[in-house]
Amino acid sequence: MEKSRVLTVFGTASLRVAPDIAEIQVGVVTEDTSLEQALQENSSKMNQVINSLLQLGIPEEDIRTTTFRIQPMYDYVDGQQVFRGYQVTNMVSVRISDITQVGLIVDTAVRNGANQISDLNFMLSNPNEIYRAALSEALLDATANAMTLTNTMQVNMDPIPIRVDELPQSVSPEPRMYSMAEVTSGTPIQPGEIVVEANIEAKFQYGSDY
């Protein structure tokens, strides 16, 4: 009986999918010489922003605070540090399950007092499911590569691999990040597509016994 040999091949697969969710950072920054006044104004505006988003149907659990910061501000006059007042920053992350509402959500937040929008990020709600589909296709690709090689060598191959290793996965291109100027300027926002790629290394046995 001929001793079997091992063939190592690589498989890859890429799936292009449209993003179906988005996240955006919305916030209010206030300044005043009185800390109490800066806090009160910030709280009032932020509550108005959050309530307006809730009225659009965004679930409360999809709005979460990401930053709350109080810091003193100073100017430098003739080399001297001069106290200018306090700055209060309150930022929330908003998860948007209907990406067709992104423009409406941004406009609503700004109309109700938001003056900071840091990023708009389009993503996938089911990245693991998409990756597993790509992983399955990557294994088929590796098997096809192995069969091509063994057919060329005119030897038989066991179609069931003796080992399969996942290689680092990638999502390319990364979802585009939008600045506040872009999302409030009326420029059409295109979510584009996300490419989910899976790569594997597989080992197959081959020889005259298969």
Side-chain angles (χ1 to χ4, degrees):
M1 179 180 295
E2 180 183 343
K3 183 178 180 181
S4 63
R5 300 178 181 180
V6 175
L7 175 67
T8 301
V9 293
F10 296 92
T12 185
S14 298
L15 297 180
R16 302 179 67 89
V17 290
D20 58 350
I21 60 171
E23 281 191 359
I24 192 168
Q25 298 287 320
V26 177
V28 174
V29 177
T30 54
E31 298 180 2
D32 200 279
T33 54
S34 165
L35 176 56
E36 181 179 359
Q37 181 62 32
L39 279 168
Q40 183 177 348
E41 181 185 356
N42 191 286
S43 177
S44 175
K45 288 184 176 180
M46 200 63 200
N47 283 334
Q48 187 171 337
V49 169
I50 292 174
N51 286 334
S52 70
L53 297 178
L54 292 173
Q55 290 174 8
L56 288 178
I58 297 177
E60 188 173 354
E61 60 268 23
D62 287 347
I63 304 173
R64 61 182 179 86
T65 300
T66 55
T67 301
F68 183 79
R69 182 175 60 247
I70 300 174
Q71 60 186 41
M73 299 179 298
Y74 297 91
D75 289 327
Y76 286 86
V77 180
D78 297 329
Q80 299 294 318
Q81 182 174 274
V82 179
F83 176 71
R84 191 176 84 220
Y86 295 96
Q87 182 182 81
V88 179
T89 302
N90 192 348
M91 300 290 297
V92 296
S93 174
V94 182
R95 182 182 174 93
I96 304 170
S97 58
D98 181 0
I99 61 176
T100 64
Q101 286 194 320
V102 168
L104 174 62
I105 289 169
V106 170
D107 290 344
T108 299
V110 171
R111 280 200 309 268
N112 284 274
N115 57 9
Q116 292 290 314
I117 298 179
S118 60
D119 298 294
L120 172 58
N121 186 11
F122 288 101
M123 302 173 298
L124 298 172
S125 62
N126 57 343
N128 291 335
E129 180 181 338
I130 302 299
Y131 173 70
R132 284 192 290 268
L135 192 62
S136 178
E137 292 193 13
L139 179 56
L140 294 176
D141 182 57
T143 303
N145 290 338
M147 293 183 67
T148 297
L149 293 173
T150 53
N151 287 339
T152 301
M153 294 185 292
Q154 297 183 345
V155 295
N156 297 323
M157 181 193 85
D158 184 351
I160 300 177
I162 59 174
R163 177 169 180 153
V164 176
D165 292 314
E166 288 184 64
L167 301 178
Q169 68 183 93
S170 67
V171 177
S172 177
E174 290 292 335
R176 183 181 170 191
M177 309 296 285
Y178 291 84
S179 67
M180 181 175 179
E182 287 179 294
V183 297
T184 59
S185 65
T187 301
I189 296 174
Q190 300 296 330
E193 290 184 327
I194 297 174
V195 179
V196 179
E197 183 176 285
N199 299 284
I200 67 164
E201 177 184 294
K203 297 181 183 296
F204 294 86
Q205 288 183 312
Y206 71 97
S208 60
D209 294 334
Y210 296 101

